[in-house]
């Protein structure tokens, strides 16, 4: 094989391994193992806070679940996600549409309701110009805070590539796949920004919201919702209901993460790029990769177990979640605008002459945020405050390159076509 052929195989192998080990995100939303673990563990913590507030809050003798209860909730959520993702794709499609509607309507309701109910609201000047330099993290530079703040959008805009993972089960995938990605990005930008804006108008006392001695135990968003209703009606029941809306949205996010993860495992194992590939690309009579689905829930559960000993250890493990996926996104784009610039055959949905420019912008932006994600988020830097992202990303890179040099380059031939061209 020629130089370009070897480079193609290596880049694809690197992308596969980074996506498989990198796993995002999120909070909020996520997408591979660490991402699924992060999303569902966050949901378990939110349920813990809802229970705490429902039983009187931290200052009213409310029930504070132990770390073992939280891990049990995490396991239960993953089990439900496994059951749902084992259903036929038609049923899963219904839940996907329900999730989209829930997120849109829920965000619309909350971004209007919270600032309207709150008896005290932040000023426009505070919302758009205030920097919280008194944050207790030793960071007082407004420029530094602004730069780190840019990363919020990177975490919340990770799930859009689910459309790509589901294309093999989509009609007219060459057009509807890209449309799904672009429409999800547009909707997330508009509603996500409006939601954050509405909630920010309900913020008046940042130190108190972050204080572990408040009713929500330092869970800032929960305290905002709780206080908004308590200040107007004398109790925070309405705020707890609003938290329930958020919890359902996170639940759907976790479900989508497992869907995306399992389909990715199926696709990569079909190409022979996964350990035990023959096991993960098996499908049942409904064309559902059952083994990949259950692996995509069992492994995230195991990944959360270190939290029983140390939350720092767990956070270090999932620290690669977002940056690992963005690196995986950037690799094929980089390959497209360099080695494959002349040989790449565009599909029916493409950016035309602007494709190369947009591609380079994307690559440079991912390089920028990769640096930003590696910066410290608190000073002084200690074992508890160290940003472990560079260690995690670098460690994965060393393992991947070593795997390629000592084995994979001899047997990995690249993506396997499943259609006649």
């Amino acid at each position: 094989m020629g130089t370009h052929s070897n480079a193609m195989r290596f880049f694809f192998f690197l992308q596969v391994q980074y996506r498989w080990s990198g796993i995002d995100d999120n909070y909020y939303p996520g997408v591979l193992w660490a991402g699924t673990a992060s999303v569902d563990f966050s949901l378990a913590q939110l349920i813990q806070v809802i229970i705490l507030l429902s039983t009187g809050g931290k200052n009213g003798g409310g029930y504070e679940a132990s770390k073992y209860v939280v891990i049990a909730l995490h396991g239960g959520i993953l089990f439900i996600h496994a059951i749902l993702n084992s259903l036929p794709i038609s049923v899963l499609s219904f839940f996907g549409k329900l999730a989209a509607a829930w997120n849109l309507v829920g965000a619309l309701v909350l971004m209007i309701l919270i600032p309207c109910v709150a008896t005290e609201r932040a000023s426009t000047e505070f919302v758009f110009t205030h920097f919280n330099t008194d944050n207790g993290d030793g960071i007082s530079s407004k420029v530094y805070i602004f730069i780190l703040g840019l990363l919020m959008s990177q975490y919340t805009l990770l799930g859009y590539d689910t459309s790509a993972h589901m294309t093999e089960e989509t009609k007219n995938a060459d057009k509807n796949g890209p449309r799904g990605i672009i429409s999800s990005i547009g909707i997330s930008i508009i509603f996500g920004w409006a939601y954050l804006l509405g909630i920010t108008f309900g913020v008046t006392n940042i130190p108190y919201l972050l204080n572990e001695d408040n009713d929500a135990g330092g869970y800032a968003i929960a305290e905002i919702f709780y206080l908004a209703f308590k200040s107007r009606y004398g109790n925070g029941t309405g705020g707890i209901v609003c938290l329930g809306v958020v919890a359902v949205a996170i639940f759907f996010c976790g479900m989508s993460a497992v869907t995306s993860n399992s389909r990715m495992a199926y696709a990569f194992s079909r190409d022979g790029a996964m350990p035990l590939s023959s096991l993960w690309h098996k499908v049942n009579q409904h064309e559902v990769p059952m083994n990949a689905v259950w692996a995509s829930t069992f492994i995230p559960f195991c990944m959360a177990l270190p939290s029983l000993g140390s939350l720092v250890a767990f956070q270090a493990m999932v620290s690669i979640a977002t940056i690992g996926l963005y690196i995986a996104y950037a690799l094929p784009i980089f390959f497209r605008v360099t080695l494959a610039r002349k040989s790449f055959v565009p599909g029916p949905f493409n950016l035309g002459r602007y494709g190369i420019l947009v591609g380079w912008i994307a690559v440079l932006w991912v390089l920028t945020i990769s640096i930003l994600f590696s910066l410290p988020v608190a000073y002084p830097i200690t074992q508890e405050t160290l940003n472990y992202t560079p260690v995690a990303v670098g460690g994965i890179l060393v393992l991947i390159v070593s795997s390629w040099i000592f084995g994979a380059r001899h047997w990995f031939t690249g993506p396997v076509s499943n259609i006649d061209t």
Side-chain angles (χ1 to χ4, degrees):
M1 295 185 180
T3 302
H4 279 199
S5 179
N6 288 330
M8 290 179 187
R9 291 191 299 125
F10 174 68
F11 269 112
F12 184 76
F13 181 77
L14 188 62
Q15 181 206 17
V16 167
Q17 301 307 319
Y18 249 119
R19 295 187 76 100
W20 193 244
S21 59
I23 329 189
D24 140 322
D25 288 181
N26 314 173
Y27 247 33
Y28 97 37
V31 272
L32 289 183
W33 287 340
T36 303
S38 177
V39 170
D40 283 356
F41 191 79
S42 297
L43 177 55
Q45 290 179 314
L46 177 57
I47 294 174
Q48 170 200 13
V49 174
I50 291 175
I51 294 173
L52 173 62
L53 292 174
S54 300
T55 53
K58 189 169 183 177
N59 297 315
Y63 171 74
E64 294 187 66
S66 68
K67 58 185 178 182
Y68 300 102
V69 173
V70 173
I71 204 70
L73 289 171
H74 174 65
I77 295 166
L78 284 167
F79 181 77
I80 296 173
H81 284 158
I83 294 294
L84 292 176
N85 276 278
S86 299
L87 300 175
I89 189 61
S90 57
V91 179
L92 203 57
S93 176
F94 166 77
F95 281 108
K97 294 175 182 177
L98 177 61
W102 185 276
N103 277 273
L104 291 178
V105 175
L108 184 63
V109 170
L110 292 178
M111 72 186 188
I112 296 174
L113 183 62
I114 298 302
C116 288
V117 169
T119 55
E120 295 184 23
R121 286 179 289 275
S123 65
T124 303
E125 180 183 3
F126 175 87
V127 171
F128 288 101
T129 65
H130 178 73
F131 287 86
N132 180 34
T133 55
D134 185 22
N135 46 47
D137 291 321
I139 299 176
S140 58
S141 170
K142 294 182 179 180
V143 174
Y144 197 85
I145 293 173
F146 173 78
I147 291 175
L148 293 182
L150 293 174
L151 301 178
M152 180 181 293
S153 62
Q154 305 307 134
Y155 185 75
T156 56
L157 284 175
L158 277 173
Y160 48 67
D161 67 322
T162 299
S163 298
H165 308 324
M166 298 296 290
T167 50
E168 293 187 23
E169 302 169 66
T170 303
K171 295 180 180 179
N172 300 319
D174 53 354
K175 294 182 180 180
N176 290 331
R179 287 171 180 166
I181 295 174
I182 292 176
S183 61
S184 66
I185 293 173
I187 292 172
S188 297
I189 290 173
I190 296 172
F191 281 83
W193 183 78
Y195 170 75
L196 290 175
L197 194 61
I199 300 303
T200 305
F201 274 103
V203 175
T204 56
N205 190 338
I206 295 176
Y208 179 74
L209 294 177
L210 298 175
N211 193 320
E212 294 184 359
D213 292 327
N214 62 33
D215 282 318
Y219 202 105
I221 290 294
E223 189 67 18
I224 292 173
F225 290 178
Y226 188 74
L227 285 180
F229 282 86
K230 187 175 182 179
S231 62
R232 182 170 293 274
Y233 302 110
N235 65 78
T237 302
I240 297 173
V241 173
C242 290
L243 288 175
V245 173
V246 176
V248 173
I250 298 176
F251 177 85
F252 282 135
C253 177
M255 183 189 73
S256 176
V258 174
T259 304
S260 175
N261 196 357
S262 59
R263 270 49 178 189
M264 196 182 302
Y266 163 78
F268 289 161
S269 61
R270 183 196 58 206
D271 296 335
M274 295 294 304
L276 303 175
S277 290
S278 60
L279 179 64
W280 310 126
H281 77 253
K282 289 183 178 179
V283 296
N284 63 10
Q285 66 271 25
H286 299 296
E287 302 297 318
V288 176
M290 293 288 291
N291 294 338
V293 167
W294 285 90
S296 298
T297 52
F298 175 73
I299 294 177
F301 174 74
C302 294
M303 293 184 73
L305 292 178
S307 66
L308 295 176
S310 170
L311 275 176
V312 174
F314 172 66
Q315 291 165 355
M317 183 181 298
V318 299
S319 63
I320 194 178
T322 302
I323 191 174
L325 276 182
Y326 272 105
I327 291 173
Y329 294 156
L331 285 173
I333 300 174
F334 176 74
F335 180 67
R336 161 72 178 90
V337 299
T338 52
L339 296 179
R341 182 170 181 171
K342 295 181 179 180
S343 60
F344 183 81
V345 179
F349 193 103
N350 61 79
L351 298 176
R353 60 180 179 176
Y354 299 105
I356 298 298
L357 174 61
V358 173
W360 274 114
I361 292 174
V363 171
L364 293 175
W365 177 247
V366 170
L367 178 62
T368 300
I369 64 171
S370 296
I371 296 173
L372 297 182
F373 269 118
S374 301
L375 296 177
V377 295
Y379 288 96
I381 299 175
T382 65
Q383 182 178 351
E384 298 293 323
T385 62
L386 177 66
N387 186 348
Y388 289 92
T389 300
V391 178
V393 175
I396 291 296
L397 180 61
V398 170
L399 290 175
I400 293 172
V401 174
S402 299
S403 175
W404 173 261
I405 293 175
F406 295 108
R409 64 191 177 96
H410 299 299
W411 58 262
F412 183 66
T413 58
V416 178
S417 176
N418 62 343
I419 59 174
D420 294 327
T421 57

